[in-house]
PDB file of all heavy atoms in Angstrom:
ATOM      1  N   HIS A  36     -72.639 -52.335  12.273  1.00  0.00           N
ATOM      2  CA  HIS A  36     -72.111 -51.014  12.624  1.00  0.00           C
ATOM      3  C   HIS A  36     -70.697 -50.862  12.078  1.00  0.00           C
ATOM      4  O   HIS A  36     -70.120 -51.818  11.561  1.00  0.00           O
ATOM      5  CB  HIS A  36     -72.140 -50.791  14.139  1.00  0.00           C
ATOM      6  CG  HIS A  36     -71.246 -51.699  14.926  1.00  0.00           C
ATOM      7  ND1 HIS A  36     -71.542 -53.007  15.202  1.00  0.00           N
ATOM      8  CD2 HIS A  36     -70.037 -51.486  15.524  1.00  0.00           C
ATOM      9  CE1 HIS A  36     -70.589 -53.560  15.919  1.00  0.00           C
ATOM     10  NE2 HIS A  36     -69.648 -52.652  16.132  1.00  0.00           N
ATOM     11  N   GLY A  37     -70.154 -49.659  12.244  1.00  0.00           N
ATOM     12  CA  GLY A  37     -68.940 -49.303  11.517  1.00  0.00           C
ATOM     13  C   GLY A  37     -67.621 -49.712  12.132  1.00  0.00           C
ATOM     14  O   GLY A  37     -66.576 -49.461  11.528  1.00  0.00           O
ATOM     15  N   HIS A  38     -67.597 -50.317  13.321  1.00  0.00           N
ATOM     16  CA  HIS A  38     -66.311 -50.748  13.883  1.00  0.00           C
ATOM     17  C   HIS A  38     -65.695 -51.835  13.008  1.00  0.00           C
ATOM     18  O   HIS A  38     -66.385 -52.723  12.506  1.00  0.00           O
ATOM     19  CB  HIS A  38     -66.494 -51.248  15.317  1.00  0.00           C
ATOM     20  CG  HIS A  38     -66.679 -50.129  16.307  1.00  0.00           C
ATOM     21  ND1 HIS A  38     -67.490 -50.229  17.408  1.00  0.00           N
ATOM     22  CD2 HIS A  38     -66.141 -48.893  16.357  1.00  0.00           C
ATOM     23  CE1 HIS A  38     -67.452 -49.092  18.102  1.00  0.00           C
ATOM     24  NE2 HIS A  38     -66.633 -48.260  17.479  1.00  0.00           N
ATOM     25  N   SER A  39     -64.405 -51.805  12.905  1.00  0.00           N
ATOM     26  CA  SER A  39     -63.760 -52.599  11.860  1.00  0.00           C
ATOM     27  C   SER A  39     -63.714 -54.099  12.141  1.00  0.00           C
ATOM     28  O   SER A  39     -63.366 -54.870  11.253  1.00  0.00           O
ATOM     29  CB  SER A  39     -62.342 -52.067  11.618  1.00  0.00           C
ATOM     30  OG  SER A  39     -61.583 -52.149  12.798  1.00  0.00           O
ATOM     31  N   ASP A  40     -64.077 -54.536  13.351  1.00  0.00           N
ATOM     32  CA  ASP A  40     -64.183 -55.989  13.528  1.00  0.00           C
ATOM     33  C   ASP A  40     -65.542 -56.507  13.062  1.00  0.00           C
ATOM     34  O   ASP A  40     -65.761 -57.719  13.009  1.00  0.00           O
ATOM     35  CB  ASP A  40     -63.915 -56.396  14.988  1.00  0.00           C
ATOM     36  CG  ASP A  40     -64.865 -55.733  15.975  1.00  0.00           C
ATOM     37  OD1 ASP A  40     -65.427 -54.680  15.637  1.00  0.00           O
ATOM     38  OD2 ASP A  40     -65.035 -56.282  17.087  1.00  0.00           O
ATOM     39  N   HIS A  41     -66.438 -55.596  12.717  1.00  0.00           N
ATOM     40  CA  HIS A  41     -67.745 -55.979  12.175  1.00  0.00           C
ATOM     41  C   HIS A  41     -67.911 -55.510  10.728  1.00  0.00           C
ATOM     42  O   HIS A  41     -68.638 -56.145   9.967  1.00  0.00           O
ATOM     43  CB  HIS A  41     -68.866 -55.390  13.032  1.00  0.00           C
ATOM     44  CG  HIS A  41     -68.953 -55.987  14.407  1.00  0.00           C
ATOM     45  ND1 HIS A  41     -69.875 -56.943  14.775  1.00  0.00           N
ATOM     46  CD2 HIS A  41     -68.186 -55.784  15.518  1.00  0.00           C
ATOM     47  CE1 HIS A  41     -69.690 -57.301  16.036  1.00  0.00           C
ATOM     48  NE2 HIS A  41     -68.675 -56.596  16.509  1.00  0.00           N
ATOM     49  N   ALA A  42     -67.284 -54.418  10.377  1.00  0.00           N
ATOM     50  CA  ALA A  42     -67.435 -53.821   9.047  1.00  0.00           C
ATOM     51  C   ALA A  42     -66.104 -53.889   8.305  1.00  0.00           C
ATOM     52  O   ALA A  42     -65.205 -53.078   8.557  1.00  0.00           O
ATOM     53  CB  ALA A  42     -67.902 -52.365   9.181  1.00  0.00           C
ATOM     54  N   ARG A  43     -66.002 -54.841   7.417  1.00  0.00           N
ATOM     55  CA  ARG A  43     -64.765 -55.015   6.663  1.00  0.00           C
ATOM     56  C   ARG A  43     -64.976 -54.627   5.212  1.00  0.00           C
ATOM     57  O   ARG A  43     -66.103 -54.663   4.705  1.00  0.00           O
ATOM     58  CB  ARG A  43     -64.305 -56.473   6.766  1.00  0.00           C
ATOM     59  CG  ARG A  43     -63.888 -56.900   8.174  1.00  0.00           C
ATOM     60  CD  ARG A  43     -63.594 -58.379   8.246  1.00  0.00           C
ATOM     61  NE  ARG A  43     -62.920 -58.768   9.473  1.00  0.00           N
ATOM     62  CZ  ARG A  43     -63.524 -59.005  10.640  1.00  0.00           C
ATOM     63  NH1 ARG A  43     -64.828 -58.880  10.725  1.00  0.00           N
ATOM     64  NH2 ARG A  43     -62.840 -59.353  11.708  1.00  0.00           N
ATOM     65  N   ALA A  44     -63.902 -54.302   4.548  1.00  0.00           N
ATOM     66  CA  ALA A  44     -63.959 -53.963   3.124  1.00  0.00           C
ATOM     67  C   ALA A  44     -63.850 -55.237   2.288  1.00  0.00           C
ATOM     68  O   ALA A  44     -63.409 -56.273   2.768  1.00  0.00           O
ATOM     69  CB  ALA A  44     -62.840 -52.994   2.785  1.00  0.00           C
ATOM     70  N   GLY A  45     -64.266 -55.128   1.010  1.00  0.00           N
ATOM     71  CA  GLY A  45     -64.036 -56.215   0.067  1.00  0.00           C
ATOM     72  C   GLY A  45     -65.246 -57.074  -0.245  1.00  0.00           C
ATOM     73  O   GLY A  45     -65.131 -58.031  -1.016  1.00  0.00           O
ATOM     74  N   HIS A  46     -66.425 -56.746   0.313  1.00  0.00           N
ATOM     75  CA  HIS A  46     -67.613 -57.546   0.017  1.00  0.00           C
ATOM     76  C   HIS A  46     -68.196 -57.152  -1.346  1.00  0.00           C
ATOM     77  O   HIS A  46     -68.020 -56.023  -1.820  1.00  0.00           O
ATOM     78  CB  HIS A  46     -68.682 -57.339   1.095  1.00  0.00           C
ATOM     79  CG  HIS A  46     -68.200 -57.655   2.483  1.00  0.00           C
ATOM     80  ND1 HIS A  46     -67.633 -58.862   2.811  1.00  0.00           N
ATOM     81  CD2 HIS A  46     -68.193 -56.906   3.619  1.00  0.00           C
ATOM     82  CE1 HIS A  46     -67.298 -58.851   4.097  1.00  0.00           C
ATOM     83  NE2 HIS A  46     -67.623 -57.676   4.612  1.00  0.00           N
ATOM     84  N   GLY A  47     -68.951 -58.083  -1.956  1.00  0.00           N
ATOM     85  CA  GLY A  47     -69.577 -57.769  -3.240  1.00  0.00           C
ATOM     86  C   GLY A  47     -70.655 -56.712  -3.095  1.00  0.00           C
ATOM     87  O   GLY A  47     -70.700 -55.745  -3.845  1.00  0.00           O
ATOM     88  N   ALA A  48     -71.560 -56.902  -2.133  1.00  0.00           N
ATOM     89  CA  ALA A  48     -72.635 -55.939  -1.882  1.00  0.00           C
ATOM     90  C   ALA A  48     -72.801 -55.787  -0.372  1.00  0.00           C
ATOM     91  O   ALA A  48     -72.668 -56.759   0.370  1.00  0.00           O
ATOM     92  CB  ALA A  48     -73.940 -56.422  -2.502  1.00  0.00           C
ATOM     93  N   VAL A  49     -73.083 -54.563   0.048  1.00  0.00           N
ATOM     94  CA  VAL A  49     -73.231 -54.277   1.483  1.00  0.00           C
ATOM     95  C   VAL A  49     -74.563 -53.583   1.721  1.00  0.00           C
ATOM     96  O   VAL A  49     -74.910 -52.612   1.039  1.00  0.00           O
ATOM     97  CB  VAL A  49     -72.076 -53.401   2.002  1.00  0.00           C
ATOM     98  CG1 VAL A  49     -72.372 -52.902   3.414  1.00  0.00           C
ATOM     99  CG2 VAL A  49     -70.765 -54.173   1.990  1.00  0.00           C
ATOM    100  N   LEU A  50     -75.307 -54.078   2.688  1.00  0.00           N
ATOM    101  CA  LEU A  50     -76.551 -53.469   3.142  1.00  0.00           C
ATOM    102  C   LEU A  50     -76.360 -53.035   4.591  1.00  0.00           C
ATOM    103  O   LEU A  50     -75.973 -53.834   5.445  1.00  0.00           O
ATOM    104  CB  LEU A  50     -77.685 -54.498   3.049  1.00  0.00           C
ATOM    105  CG  LEU A  50     -79.078 -54.048   3.496  1.00  0.00           C
ATOM    106  CD1 LEU A  50     -79.632 -52.989   2.556  1.00  0.00           C
ATOM    107  CD2 LEU A  50     -80.030 -55.254   3.534  1.00  0.00           C
ATOM    108  N   ALA A  51     -76.611 -51.759   4.861  1.00  0.00           N
ATOM    109  CA  ALA A  51     -76.401 -51.218   6.206  1.00  0.00           C
ATOM    110  C   ALA A  51     -77.134 -49.891   6.312  1.00  0.00           C
ATOM    111  O   ALA A  51     -77.674 -49.386   5.318  1.00  0.00           O
ATOM    112  CB  ALA A  51     -74.906 -51.029   6.485  1.00  0.00           C
ATOM    113  N   THR A  52     -77.164 -49.317   7.517  1.00  0.00           N
ATOM    114  CA  THR A  52     -77.720 -47.979   7.647  1.00  0.00           C
ATOM    115  C   THR A  52     -76.828 -46.985   6.901  1.00  0.00           C
ATOM    116  O   THR A  52     -75.655 -47.261   6.636  1.00  0.00           O
ATOM    117  CB  THR A  52     -77.808 -47.556   9.126  1.00  0.00           C
ATOM    118  OG1 THR A  52     -76.471 -47.464   9.653  1.00  0.00           O
ATOM    119  CG2 THR A  52     -78.620 -48.548   9.941  1.00  0.00           C
ATOM    120  N   GLN A  53     -77.390 -45.819   6.590  1.00  0.00           N
ATOM    121  CA  GLN A  53     -76.618 -44.815   5.863  1.00  0.00           C
ATOM    122  C   GLN A  53     -75.368 -44.420   6.647  1.00  0.00           C
ATOM    123  O   GLN A  53     -74.284 -44.255   6.076  1.00  0.00           O
ATOM    124  CB  GLN A  53     -77.479 -43.579   5.602  1.00  0.00           C
ATOM    125  CG  GLN A  53     -76.787 -42.524   4.748  1.00  0.00           C
ATOM    126  CD  GLN A  53     -76.450 -43.066   3.369  1.00  0.00           C
ATOM    127  OE1 GLN A  53     -77.330 -43.466   2.606  1.00  0.00           O
ATOM    128  NE2 GLN A  53     -75.159 -43.096   3.024  1.00  0.00           N
ATOM    129  N   GLU A  54     -75.514 -44.281   7.961  1.00  0.00           N
ATOM    130  CA  GLU A  54     -74.359 -43.868   8.773  1.00  0.00           C
ATOM    131  C   GLU A  54     -73.257 -44.927   8.752  1.00  0.00           C
ATOM    132  O   GLU A  54     -72.071 -44.589   8.683  1.00  0.00           O
ATOM    133  CB  GLU A  54     -74.803 -43.593  10.215  1.00  0.00           C
ATOM    134  CG  GLU A  54     -75.671 -42.346  10.393  1.00  0.00           C
ATOM    135  CD  GLU A  54     -77.132 -42.621  10.116  1.00  0.00           C
ATOM    136  OE1 GLU A  54     -77.454 -43.777   9.735  1.00  0.00           O
ATOM    137  OE2 GLU A  54     -77.962 -41.696  10.282  1.00  0.00           O
ATOM    138  N   THR A  55     -73.643 -46.178   8.812  1.00  0.00           N
ATOM    139  CA  THR A  55     -72.617 -47.232   8.768  1.00  0.00           C
ATOM    140  C   THR A  55     -71.934 -47.268   7.410  1.00  0.00           C
ATOM    141  O   THR A  55     -70.703 -47.424   7.322  1.00  0.00           O
ATOM    142  CB  THR A  55     -73.258 -48.595   9.092  1.00  0.00           C
ATOM    143  OG1 THR A  55     -73.703 -48.578  10.456  1.00  0.00           O
ATOM    144  CG2 THR A  55     -72.268 -49.733   8.921  1.00  0.00           C
ATOM    145  N   LEU A  56     -72.697 -47.103   6.349  1.00  0.00           N
ATOM    146  CA  LEU A  56     -72.073 -47.045   5.020  1.00  0.00           C
ATOM    147  C   LEU A  56     -71.103 -45.865   4.930  1.00  0.00           C
ATOM    148  O   LEU A  56     -70.005 -45.983   4.365  1.00  0.00           O
ATOM    149  CB  LEU A  56     -73.152 -46.931   3.942  1.00  0.00           C
ATOM    150  CG  LEU A  56     -74.070 -48.145   3.753  1.00  0.00           C
ATOM    151  CD1 LEU A  56     -75.154 -47.826   2.728  1.00  0.00           C
ATOM    152  CD2 LEU A  56     -73.277 -49.372   3.322  1.00  0.00           C
ATOM    153  N   ASP A  57     -71.510 -44.732   5.491  1.00  0.00           N
ATOM    154  CA  ASP A  57     -70.633 -43.555   5.458  1.00  0.00           C
ATOM    155  C   ASP A  57     -69.350 -43.809   6.263  1.00  0.00           C
ATOM    156  O   ASP A  57     -68.254 -43.407   5.850  1.00  0.00           O
ATOM    157  CB  ASP A  57     -71.369 -42.331   6.022  1.00  0.00           C
ATOM    158  CG  ASP A  57     -72.487 -41.858   5.101  1.00  0.00           C
ATOM    159  OD1 ASP A  57     -72.461 -42.204   3.902  1.00  0.00           O
ATOM    160  OD2 ASP A  57     -73.380 -41.132   5.587  1.00  0.00           O
ATOM    161  N   MET A  58     -69.499 -44.453   7.419  1.00  0.00           N
ATOM    162  CA  MET A  58     -68.306 -44.779   8.216  1.00  0.00           C
ATOM    163  C   MET A  58     -67.354 -45.673   7.427  1.00  0.00           C
ATOM    164  O   MET A  58     -66.128 -45.475   7.443  1.00  0.00           O
ATOM    165  CB  MET A  58     -68.710 -45.503   9.508  1.00  0.00           C
ATOM    166  CG  MET A  58     -69.566 -44.706  10.453  1.00  0.00           C
ATOM    167  SD  MET A  58     -68.710 -43.352  11.233  1.00  0.00           S
ATOM    168  CE  MET A  58     -70.037 -42.761  12.315  1.00  0.00           C
ATOM    169  N   MET A  59     -67.906 -46.662   6.763  1.00  0.00           N
ATOM    170  CA  MET A  59     -67.056 -47.570   5.984  1.00  0.00           C
ATOM    171  C   MET A  59     -66.379 -46.822   4.835  1.00  0.00           C
ATOM    172  O   MET A  59     -65.207 -47.058   4.525  1.00  0.00           O
ATOM    173  CB  MET A  59     -67.894 -48.737   5.451  1.00  0.00           C
ATOM    174  CG  MET A  59     -68.471 -49.628   6.550  1.00  0.00           C
ATOM    175  SD  MET A  59     -69.481 -50.997   5.945  1.00  0.00           S
ATOM    176  CE  MET A  59     -68.208 -52.100   5.299  1.00  0.00           C
ATOM    177  N   ARG A  60     -67.100 -45.895   4.249  1.00  0.00           N
ATOM    178  CA  ARG A  60     -66.522 -45.109   3.149  1.00  0.00           C
ATOM    179  C   ARG A  60     -65.387 -44.222   3.665  1.00  0.00           C
ATOM    180  O   ARG A  60     -64.346 -44.084   3.014  1.00  0.00           O
ATOM    181  CB  ARG A  60     -67.635 -44.274   2.516  1.00  0.00           C
ATOM    182  CG  ARG A  60     -67.305 -43.701   1.147  1.00  0.00           C
ATOM    183  CD  ARG A  60     -68.544 -43.143   0.465  1.00  0.00           C
ATOM    184  NE  ARG A  60     -69.449 -44.202   0.039  1.00  0.00           N
ATOM    185  CZ  ARG A  60     -70.646 -44.426   0.563  1.00  0.00           C
ATOM    186  NH1 ARG A  60     -71.101 -43.664   1.548  1.00  0.00           N
ATOM    187  NH2 ARG A  60     -71.395 -45.404   0.117  1.00  0.00           N
TER     188      ARG A  60
END
Side-chain angles (χ1 to χ4, degrees):
H36 65 283
H38 284 145
S39 60
D40 58 337
H41 292 259
R43 294 174 167 82
H46 303 306
V49 170
L50 179 67
T52 65
Q53 185 62 61
E54 290 84 357
T55 294
L56 293 175
D57 291 340
M58 297 291 183
M59 296 179 74
R60 196 168 289 112

